[in-house]
Amino acid sequence: MRLQAKLTVFSAVSKIIILLVLILVLPTLVNQVALHNADVRLQDKEARMYQIIEEQGIDSFITEETGDAYGSYNLLKEEFISLEEISSGRVHNTIENSLRKVENDIVEYRVLSSTFDLGGKRYLLEIGRSLATIGDNSQALQHYALYFLLAVVLLTVFVDLAFSKILLQPLTTIIKRLQRIEHPTTFTPKKLKTSTDDFLYLNNTINDMMGQIQEAFQKEKEFIGNVSHELLTPVSILQTRLENLLADPDTPEPLLVKLVDNLRTLHRLKSIIQALLLISRIENEQYLKNERVDVPQLVNEVAEEIQERAEAKDISLSVQLTGDFVFIPANHSLLFTMLFNVVNNAIKYNKPSGTITVAGNAVAKGYQLCISDTGVGIAQDQLPHIFSRFKRFHAPDGESHGLGLPIVQTIARFHGVALTVQSELDKGTTFCFTFPQRI
């Protein structure tokens, strides 16, 4: 998962967890707030009642007609005010829940009780508000608070997503640049437009590292050129001298046998050097991929070239191709070497009167080419090592130097061709190449 996605998921999950916790404690919090507001409202009404009594006198509430008490309820019984004369010993100054009977209905109120002395008498003032009304207000507050929290969470998630996208844009730029690098020599150092010191340090570090890698590759190219000259030249000189001695009629016959053995050794040494140089040059991108290669036509060229070797070993070579496919960009010579080595191994490791089948067909996103033989096969424990250099498995001619399949793998990687191998001991081996479709 990408860093931006991780940050967004973490932000969203953390906010959702906080939201769930708030939802759990929200009813209690809102109820407490509603009760507090109700208490404040009751205290305000108490102050207003004292102001009215001070201005109009107690007689405006308690008269001979009303007796020693006064009571008033609103139409829906949501609120009430009562005022009555009490004995001097009773003192009240509380706010609490209380049940009251109103017209044969039992209603629970939040009641403020307060006592005061006036004209040598003590009075009890009670102001109540229905708990059902407070509960309705509490539920309304809960709904509004829930909607508000959801809106805040969604808004902050989108804000975090946008901010993280802007913040991580330099990192995205660095990643895209690295993904476009097919070879170190194609890398071009660039400055990064950002004010974040961490990204600037990362970009500068990558630029410096790639510069060192480019320098190392350049030195390796120069080394390969020197090796090709310093090794192949003396080998060729020795080979020429030995061939001259071999052609001399005065050379003794016992010496001729030794000369032939030495020439065979020199030829093998030359082949090893050329194979290693070929692998190194391919890995260092010293070959161009600027050709259009018709894969079915290339297979026919390989089959025609190697047909005589197959006939000499009494091996039947069958080519079964369907469809057309042009592979671009590519290097025709390298692809020819790749297929030639595989078919040549199929001949070398085949059984007498064996068969080799080269089958090709179009697949979903390219072209698949499989080369199957009826040879000795490869043990399952040896399959992971067949592309290792200088690994030789039962070479029948004793001349193999274990570099044929490493060359095949190197060329396939160079062209982005997928290579798979299936084999069963004493039954045969199948190499499959999948050439990707490129536009």
Side-chain angles (χ1 to χ4, degrees):
M1 185 181 293
R2 298 182 61 183
L3 178 59
Q4 181 179 341
K6 285 187 176 182
L7 290 175
T8 304
V9 171
F10 173 78
S11 175
V13 171
S14 61
K15 288 177 174 58
I16 290 174
I17 292 175
I18 294 174
L19 178 63
L20 292 176
V21 172
L22 290 176
I23 290 175
L24 291 176
V25 301
L26 188 62
T28 302
L29 290 175
V30 173
N31 286 334
Q32 293 297 323
V33 171
L35 285 176
H36 175 73
N37 290 338
D39 292 347
V40 171
R41 183 173 178 179
L42 292 175
Q43 290 170 350
D44 290 341
K45 288 189 175 182
E46 177 191 18
R48 290 171 60 188
M49 281 295 297
Y50 284 150
Q51 184 179 0
I52 294 173
I53 292 172
E54 184 178 355
E55 293 176 353
Q56 300 180 10
I58 195 69
D59 295 336
S60 60
F61 296 96
I62 297 178
T63 63
E64 293 181 357
E65 296 178 358
T66 60
D68 58 356
Y70 167 83
S72 175
Y73 290 83
N74 65 357
L75 182 62
L76 298 178
K77 306 174 186 177
E78 293 175 344
E79 296 181 349
F80 76 87
I81 296 176
S82 69
L83 181 62
E84 63 178 325
E85 182 181 345
I86 60 174
S87 62
S88 59
R90 297 175 61 189
V91 178
H92 294 273
N93 191 11
T94 60
I95 300 178
E96 59 186 5
N97 298 338
S98 177
L99 296 175
R100 297 298 173 92
K101 185 175 182 180
V102 183
E103 297 179 356
N104 299 324
D105 290 333
I106 304 298
V107 181
E108 188 173 10
Y109 289 93
R110 183 72 171 174
V111 180
L112 179 148
S113 300
S114 176
T115 59
F116 64 94
D117 296 325
L118 183 63
K121 297 180 180 179
R122 178 161 292 177
Y123 297 91
L124 172 64
L125 173 65
E126 291 184 327
I127 305 173
R129 182 172 177 80
S130 169
L131 286 178
T133 303
I134 298 175
D136 292 339
N137 294 336
S138 174
Q139 289 183 355
L141 286 174
Q142 290 181 33
H143 290 158
Y144 286 124
L146 180 60
Y147 296 150
F148 177 76
L149 289 174
L150 288 174
V152 168
V153 168
L154 292 176
L155 180 61
T156 53
V157 167
F158 285 115
V159 170
D160 289 347
L161 178 61
F163 178 73
S164 63
K165 185 175 182 180
I166 295 173
L167 182 65
L168 298 177
Q169 182 60 40
L171 181 61
T172 304
T173 302
I174 293 174
I175 293 174
K176 288 182 178 178
R177 285 176 55 196
L178 293 176
Q179 289 174 340
R180 288 195 295 266
I181 298 175
E182 295 183 357
H183 192 267
T185 56
T186 62
F187 179 82
T188 303
K190 292 182 180 180
K191 292 184 178 180
L192 195 65
K193 296 180 180 180
T194 180
S195 59
T196 305
D197 293 338
D198 294 336
F199 292 146
L200 288 174
Y201 177 77
L202 176 62
N203 185 66
N204 293 334
T205 303
I206 291 175
N207 288 340
D208 294 340
M209 180 184 65
M210 292 304 297
Q212 295 175 9
I213 293 175
Q214 288 177 337
E215 184 179 352
F217 268 81
Q218 183 61 33
K219 291 180 179 179
E220 185 176 352
K221 287 183 180 180
E222 294 175 359
F223 173 76
I224 291 172
N226 293 333
V227 166
S228 63
H229 179 269
E230 298 296 332
L231 289 180
L232 289 179
T233 299
V235 169
S236 298
I237 293 174
L238 286 174
Q239 185 176 2
T240 301
R241 290 179 179 178
L242 292 176
E243 288 175 350
N244 290 337
L245 288 174
L246 191 62
D248 189 350
D250 296 331
T251 304
E253 185 173 349
L255 184 59
L256 290 175
V257 175
K258 293 183 180 180
L259 288 174
V260 171
D261 290 338
N262 288 334
L263 278 173
R264 187 180 294 111
T265 302
L266 280 177
H267 177 73
R268 183 170 177 271
L269 178 61
K270 191 173 183 179
S271 298
I272 291 175
I273 294 173
Q274 290 175 337
L276 289 174
L277 289 175
L278 176 62
I279 293 175
S280 297
R281 286 170 177 165
I282 296 172
E283 290 177 342
N284 284 284
E285 302 278 345
Q286 291 182 265
Y287 284 89
L288 296 177
K289 290 186 291 185
N290 57 357
E291 298 174 305
R292 298 169 58 89
V293 177
D294 188 319
V295 175
Q297 182 179 344
L298 176 66
V299 173
N300 289 325
E301 292 175 6
V302 173
E304 183 179 351
E305 178 74 18
I306 210 168
Q307 183 65 43
E308 291 185 2
R309 295 192 184 190
E311 292 176 353
K313 288 272 188 105
D314 193 24
I315 303 296
S316 173
L317 178 60
S318 172
V319 178
Q320 303 171 5
L321 305 175
T322 58
D324 298 325
F325 182 77
V326 176
F327 185 51
I328 55 173
N331 185 296
H332 182 276
S333 176
L334 292 179
L335 291 178
F336 183 93
T337 301
M338 179 182 74
L339 298 182
F340 186 91
N341 283 358
V342 174
V343 178
N344 187 51
N345 277 355
I347 295 174
K348 186 186 301 184
Y349 296 102
N350 217 319
K351 297 177 181 178
S353 301
T355 61
I356 299 174
T357 303
V358 183
N361 61 282
V363 292
K365 295 183 178 180
Y367 194 86
Q368 187 176 68
L369 185 68
C370 292
I371 302 173
S372 305
D373 63 60
T374 57
V376 296
I378 304 171
Q380 293 300 313
D381 60 337
Q382 294 178 346
L383 274 177
H385 309 290
I386 62 174
F387 296 112
S388 300
R389 297 177 189 180
F390 301 108
K391 284 284 186 179
R392 293 187 299 171
F393 303 105
H394 50 68
D397 55 4
E399 297 295 326
S400 174
H401 43 71
L403 291 174
L405 289 181
I407 290 175
V408 170
Q409 185 188 51
T410 303
I411 296 175
R413 286 178 176 174
F414 179 66
H415 286 87
V417 176
L419 171 60
T420 59
V421 184
Q422 293 181 345
S423 184
E424 191 172 350
L425 203 60
D426 295 327
K427 290 189 177 181
T429 305
T430 299
F431 286 79
C432 286
F433 301 89
T434 302
F435 296 83
Q437 179 72 56
R438 297 194 181 107
I439 300 176

